[in-house]
Every structure is written in C-alpha cells, then in structure tokens.
C-alpha cells in the first residue's frame, strides 16, 4: 500500500482511481444483489405457474388430456406423471404430457429421474412443494395425493428442471460494463473538478513561500476548499505586512546602529588626530555613552529575538514560582532612585502574589520604569493594588503626552518615536506580559502618561 501511494503522486489520479474503484465495487455488489433477487423471484414465479398448472389438471381430473401451457416461458420444460403404490410396489402411470408423448424407457436417464422423484411421494399425506437436486440439476417438484378407484395410494406429480437464464446474466454483465465505463469517465471529471482548485492553491502557496506577493487567489466555492483559499489570502496579507515591517525595522535599526558606530569612530579618530571637543576626557565620555547605548540596543535585539523561546521552553518554565509583586516593585524603585536624584518618586503598594519568572518580571518593569524616567520632568508615581483577580501596577510620569495615533503602536517593536528611537523595551515588556495572560496599556492623563499593567493573581 505504501509503494502504491509512493508511486502515484498525483492527487488527480489517486482521486480518479479511488472513485472508480468504489463505483466498481458498488456496481459489482448491486449486480450480485440483483442477480440473487432475480433468481429468487424468477424461481418463485416458476413455482407459482407450475402450481397453477398442477391445480388446473387436478381440478379438471383429466390426466389424459392436460391443457397445453408450454408456450408460457415458465412452463416450457414442465412434465407430469402419476405414481401408484400397491403393497410396497411402485408403478408409474403415463400422463399425456404436452412435451413428451411416452414414458422414458427403463434404465434410461429419464426413467431414473422419474424413479428418483417418485420416491419422495411414498410418505406424503398432503400436497407438497419442494426443490431437490439430481445429477447437479435443480428440480421444482409438486406432489399431490389423488383418489384411486382401485384403493391404491396414488400421487400426481408435476416437476420441472430449473435453469438460470444465462441471457439475463449476460445482459446484467453488459449493463454493468456500461456503468463501469460511465463511472470511469465520471470519476475522471470529478477528480479533475476537485483537484483543479487544489493545484491553484499549491501554486499560490509556493509563491507565498518564495515571498512573491501575488494577487489574492480567487476560488468562488463555499466549501472547505473555498474557506481554505480565503484563509490563505488572509495569511498572505498578514505575512506580507510582517515582511514589509521587518524590512523597515531592519533598515531602520541598521541605520540607527550604523549612526552610533559612526559617532564612536569619529570621536575616536578625533582623539587620534588631536582634534576633539572640549577635552580628550569629554570626547572619551561621549564614546563611552554611545557604546553603552549601542550595547543596550544590541542586547535588546538579541533578547527580543530569543524571548519567545525562553518563555515557552520547558527548562525556563521550571524557574516560574509564586512571588509577591510588592517586593519586586520596591526593589526596582530603589535601584532607579540611585540614578535619578532630580526625580521625585512616590510609591504606594500592597501585597499581590503572582506566579511567574522573577527575572522576566524584573525585565518587564525595568523597561517601563526606564521609559518613564526618560520622559519624566519632575515626578514618577507607582501604585500597586489588587483589583478583582488581577494585580494592577500603574506607573505614572509627568512627561509629555503620547500622540493618539501612536499610543497603541508604542508596544510594537517596529515603532519608532520622533527622535528615531525604537520601542524595543516596551515591545519586550508587552511580550512578557502577554505570555502570563496579562495586559498593558498607555493612557494620557491631564498631565503626563500612565502605563497600566495587569497580572493575574495566583
């Protein structure tokens, strides 16, 4: 079976063969059933006609001049005789048969056949119909007791050999062959009809795999194939959008990294050439600051690229544990206070137990706090509270509002603000929060912006 599937790679041919095979089996079974039904019905019709013929002769009580029904198809081979039993001895009495005018000679096959049939009459007390085989031929037999003036046990016998009508069998075979030919052609048409849209989908899929964004495929079917085509059109649209955004992102991030490297190289060259701003120390500080920024961008890119794997990896999930979010928030604020003497920090927290990876939660909060610190003018407020089944963290800074057109895009790793900086940190935070079935959103306040994070409580 595996070899068969391996050799026949075309779906059209496989569908064609399967349809043809199934239809042939159905026609074969129907033919067998029909032949069996015909034989059963035909045999019963022979017996009924023979019974009517038998009863007419008994009713007329004229065994020497029975009616001639031999022109009837079912009574062509019918014959009659009377058998008498006298003290154990058997005597066959001739009945004027339309097909035979004399009894067969003793010892002949016909005589032996009559002797065999008459042997059934010995123990019969009433009219009996039955079938029996003699010399590989089936016989339909009716035996009825009759009155005899000589007080003998006498029986009237009507019998007939039953042969299957081979002409009808040949007709059935011929009709079956015609239906098989029709089925063969029909199955080819059906296979072509089914496989045609599948071939279109195959070519369409190859174009998508090669990132050739062709026109959406058009299949008007409302069945599963049509639904598949519409789903593939949606898939192409999303993949095209992701591909274009990825190209833009790579071009922009490459430009950003290239600019930073150029700044570092130009200031380094300035030190070598003795042409620098203010002093060698100040130029070195600029190189250091740019290097730190470059390192941070590279780490964020690498972290974002591997984040999904580390979140879903089984080994990583073993590090998940229950923790009090209050302790993590307090530790993160203490670290940021050290580097922001000019910013006032207000902290209001309550105990909230969650189940997560502590390192990932710290990265998430660190990115949000770093963003708030970058834009805050004088104050950052942090509030942690329980709300229904969630721990809600609100991080507020009194910086400038976020454009309404951009407020829903800032968590996208493709997003770039007015200064040309990418929101990789916010994208990382959102990916972590989404993994733990939480939510994050940015809200413009009367003055400043709040980032609201929700984590499911343990």
């Amino acid at each position: 079976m595996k070899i068969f599937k391996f050799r026949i790679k075309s779906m059209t041919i496989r569908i064609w063969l399967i349809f043809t095979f199934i239809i042939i089996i159905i026609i074969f079974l129907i033919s067998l059933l029909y032949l069996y039904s015909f034989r059963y019905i035909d045999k019963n019709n022979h017996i009924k006609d023979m019974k009517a013929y038998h009863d007419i002769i008994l009713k007329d009580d004229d065994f020497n001049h029975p009616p001639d029904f031999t022109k009837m198809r079912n009574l062509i081979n019918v014959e009659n005789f009377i058998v008498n039993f006298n003290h154990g001895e058997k005597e066959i009495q001739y009945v004027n048969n339309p097909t035979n005018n004399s009894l067969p000679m003793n010892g002949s096959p016909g005589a032996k056949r009559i002797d065999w049939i008459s042997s059934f009459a010995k123990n019969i007390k009433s009219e009996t119909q039955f079938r029996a085989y003699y010399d590989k031929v089936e016989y339909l037999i009716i035996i009825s007791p009759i009155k005899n003036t000589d007080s003998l046990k006498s029986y009237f016998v009507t019998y007939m050999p039953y042969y299957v009508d081979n002409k009808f069998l040949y007709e059935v075979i011929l009709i079956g062959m015609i239906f098989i030919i029709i089925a063969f052609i029909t199955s080819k048409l059906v296979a072509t009809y089914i496989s045609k849209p599948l071939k279109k989908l195959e070519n369409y899929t190859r174009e998508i795999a090669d990132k050739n964004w062709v026109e959406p495929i058009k299949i008007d079917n409302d069945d599963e194939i049509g639904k598949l085509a519409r789903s593939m059109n949606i898939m192409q649209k999303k993949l095209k959008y992701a591909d274009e955004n990825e190209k833009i992102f790579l071009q922009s991030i490459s430009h950003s990294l290239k600019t930073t490297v150029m700044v570092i190289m130009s200031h380094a060259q300035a030190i070598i050439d003795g042409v620098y701003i203010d002093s060698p120390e100040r130029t070195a500080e600029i190189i250091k600051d740019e290097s730190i920024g470059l390192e941070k961008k590279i780490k964020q890119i690498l972290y974002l690229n591997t984040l999904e794997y580390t979140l879903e990896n089984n080994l990583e999930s073993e590090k998940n544990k229950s923790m009090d979010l209050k302790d993590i928030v307090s530790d993160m604020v203490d670290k940021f206070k050290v580097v922001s003497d000019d910013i006032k920090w207000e902290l209001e927290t309550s105990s909230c137990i969650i189940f997560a990876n502590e390192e990932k939660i710290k990265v998430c909060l660190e990115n949000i706090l770093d963003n708030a610190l970058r834009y805050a003018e004088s104050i950052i407020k942090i509030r942690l509270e329980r709300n229904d089944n969630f721990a809600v963290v609100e991080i507020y800074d009194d910086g400038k509002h976020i454009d309404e057109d951009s407020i829903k895009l800032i968590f996208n790793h493709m997003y770039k603000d007015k200064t040309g900086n990418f929101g990789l940190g916010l994208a990382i935070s959102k990916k972590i929060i989404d993994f733990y079935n939480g939510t994050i959103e940015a809200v413009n306040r009367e003055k400043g912006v709040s980032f609201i994070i929700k984590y499911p409580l343990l």
Side-chain angles (χ1 to χ4, degrees):
M1 190 65 181
K2 291 182 178 179
I3 296 175
F4 180 75
K5 288 184 177 180
F6 175 78
R7 289 179 177 174
I8 303 177
K9 295 182 178 179
S10 172
M11 179 174 289
T12 305
I13 296 177
R14 279 189 294 182
I15 295 174
W16 183 16
L17 292 177
I18 290 171
F19 266 79
T20 303
F21 182 70
I22 292 173
I23 293 173
I24 288 174
I25 290 177
I26 293 173
I27 292 173
F28 178 73
L29 292 176
I30 291 175
S31 299
L32 286 180
L33 180 64
Y34 192 73
L35 283 174
Y36 175 80
S37 300
F38 169 79
R39 185 170 182 178
Y40 177 80
I41 294 171
D42 186 63
K43 190 180 294 184
N44 285 339
N45 289 336
H46 277 72
I47 292 176
K48 286 180 182 179
D49 291 345
M50 195 171 72
K51 173 71 167 58
Y53 176 69
H54 181 88
D55 291 342
I56 289 173
I57 295 176
L58 287 177
K59 184 179 179 181
D60 292 344
D61 197 22
D62 186 2
F63 298 108
N64 293 321
H65 301 90
D68 184 6
F69 289 152
T70 55
K71 293 183 178 180
M72 294 181 61
R73 185 179 67 87
N74 292 344
L75 297 176
I76 292 176
N77 297 314
V78 68
E79 294 189 14
N80 309 289
F81 65 88
I82 296 174
V83 57
N84 300 314
F85 291 95
N86 184 14
H87 302 293
E89 293 188 6
K90 181 170 57 176
E91 176 187 357
I92 304 298
Q93 181 180 343
Y94 168 73
V95 173
N96 189 17
N97 292 312
T99 56
N100 277 328
N101 294 322
S102 62
L103 284 172
M105 297 179 60
N106 291 334
S108 67
K112 291 180 180 179
R113 182 176 64 248
I114 291 176
D115 185 62
W116 167 73
I117 294 173
S118 63
S119 64
F120 292 105
K122 190 172 184 180
N123 299 318
I124 288 177
K125 296 181 180 180
S126 61
E127 182 178 290
T128 304
Q129 302 176 20
F130 61 94
R131 299 189 296 267
Y133 282 88
Y134 177 78
D135 198 19
K136 299 181 180 181
V137 177
E138 184 178 15
Y139 286 86
L140 309 179
I141 304 171
I142 302 177
I143 301 177
S144 298
I146 57 176
K147 294 181 180 180
N148 194 304
T149 55
D150 298 331
S151 299
L152 300 175
K153 287 184 178 182
S154 300
Y155 299 90
F156 177 61
V157 180
T158 301
Y159 74 94
M160 177 176 59
Y162 177 75
Y163 301 102
V164 178
D165 191 349
N166 290 328
K167 180 181 178 182
F168 179 77
L169 176 62
Y170 298 147
E171 290 176 354
V172 170
I173 293 174
L174 178 60
I175 294 172
M177 292 298 296
I178 293 173
F179 272 102
I180 288 173
I181 293 171
I182 294 172
F184 191 72
I185 298 172
T186 304
S187 61
K188 180 65 169 68
L189 296 175
V190 171
T192 303
Y193 175 78
I194 293 175
S195 62
K196 185 177 180 180
L198 293 177
K199 288 182 178 179
K200 291 176 65 177
L201 288 174
E202 179 188 3
N203 297 330
Y204 187 58
T205 305
R206 288 181 178 176
E207 295 293 337
I208 293 175
D210 295 334
K211 294 187 177 181
N212 296 327
W213 310 121
V214 296
E215 289 294 322
I217 190 170
K218 294 181 180 180
I219 294 178
D220 297 329
N221 299 2
D222 292 329
D223 53 14
E224 287 77 4
I225 296 177
K227 293 178 181 178
L228 176 61
R230 289 188 286 272
S231 298
M232 291 184 69
N233 286 334
I234 294 172
M235 179 185 70
Q236 179 189 242
K237 185 177 180 181
K238 291 183 177 180
L239 288 175
K240 181 181 179 181
Y241 175 77
D243 182 54
E244 291 174 350
N245 284 340
E246 183 181 1
K247 289 178 181 178
I248 294 172
F249 172 73
L250 291 175
Q251 291 172 358
S252 300
I253 198 69
S254 298
H255 177 74
S256 177
L257 295 177
K258 183 179 179 180
T259 302
T260 305
V261 171
M262 287 178 62
V263 171
I264 293 172
M265 291 178 63
S266 61
H267 282 82
Q269 188 65 41
I271 294 176
I272 295 172
D273 296 338
V275 182
Y276 39 76
I277 301 173
D278 293 338
S279 64
E281 291 79 8
R282 174 57 183 157
T283 304
E285 286 179 3
I286 294 173
I287 293 174
K288 180 180 178 182
D289 292 340
E290 292 293 332
S291 299
I292 292 171
L294 178 61
E295 181 186 24
K296 183 178 179 181
K297 288 179 182 179
I298 294 172
K299 284 184 177 179
Q300 285 184 332
I301 294 171
L302 295 175
Y303 192 85
L304 181 63
N305 189 46
T306 59
L307 179 60
E308 189 170 349
Y309 170 78
T310 56
L311 284 171
E312 296 180 355
N313 188 270
N314 292 331
L315 295 176
E316 187 68 17
S317 64
E318 292 176 3
K319 298 179 182 179
N320 292 344
K321 61 181 180 179
S322 59
M323 65 191 76
D324 194 338
L325 193 57
K326 175 183 177 181
D327 297 336
I328 297 176
V329 172
S330 298
D331 291 343
M332 297 298 298
V333 171
D334 290 339
K335 291 179 181 180
F336 274 87
K337 281 182 179 180
V338 176
V339 295
S340 57
D341 296 336
D342 57 334
I343 298 295
K344 182 182 178 182
W345 293 79
E346 292 184 6
L347 182 62
E348 181 184 344
T349 60
S350 59
S351 179
C352 296
I353 307 299
I354 65 172
F355 184 81
N357 182 286
E358 184 175 351
E359 178 190 345
K360 297 297 183 291
I361 297 299
K362 286 182 178 180
V363 170
C364 171
L365 293 175
E366 180 182 358
N367 290 332
I368 305 298
L369 289 171
D370 183 63
N371 184 80
L373 187 60
R374 186 184 309 130
Y375 294 102
E377 295 179 0
S378 60
I379 187 171
I380 294 177
K381 296 179 182 179
I382 301 171
R383 184 173 61 185
L384 171 62
E385 61 182 1
R386 298 169 63 96
N387 187 350
D388 295 332
N389 295 322
F390 290 91
V392 182
V393 183
E394 181 177 354
I395 301 174
Y396 166 81
D397 69 80
D398 59 346
K400 294 181 180 180
H401 283 173
I402 303 173
D403 293 339
E404 291 298 329
D405 295 337
S406 303
I407 200 164
K408 293 183 179 180
L409 302 175
I410 58 175
F411 300 105
N412 191 328
H413 70 281
M414 306 291 181
Y415 174 74
K416 184 170 62 173
D417 62 18
K418 294 179 179 180
T419 63
N421 293 319
F422 281 90
L424 292 181
L426 296 180
I428 290 171
S429 296
K430 178 170 175 54
K431 189 175 284 287
I432 294 171
I433 294 167
D434 288 344
F435 180 79
Y436 291 113
N437 299 318
T439 61
I440 182 172
E441 62 176 336
V443 180
N444 285 322
R445 301 301 185 185
E446 185 176 348
K447 180 180 180 177
V449 180
S450 288
F451 285 84
I452 301 173
I453 306 168
K454 292 183 178 181
Y455 288 106
L457 292 169
L458 180 61

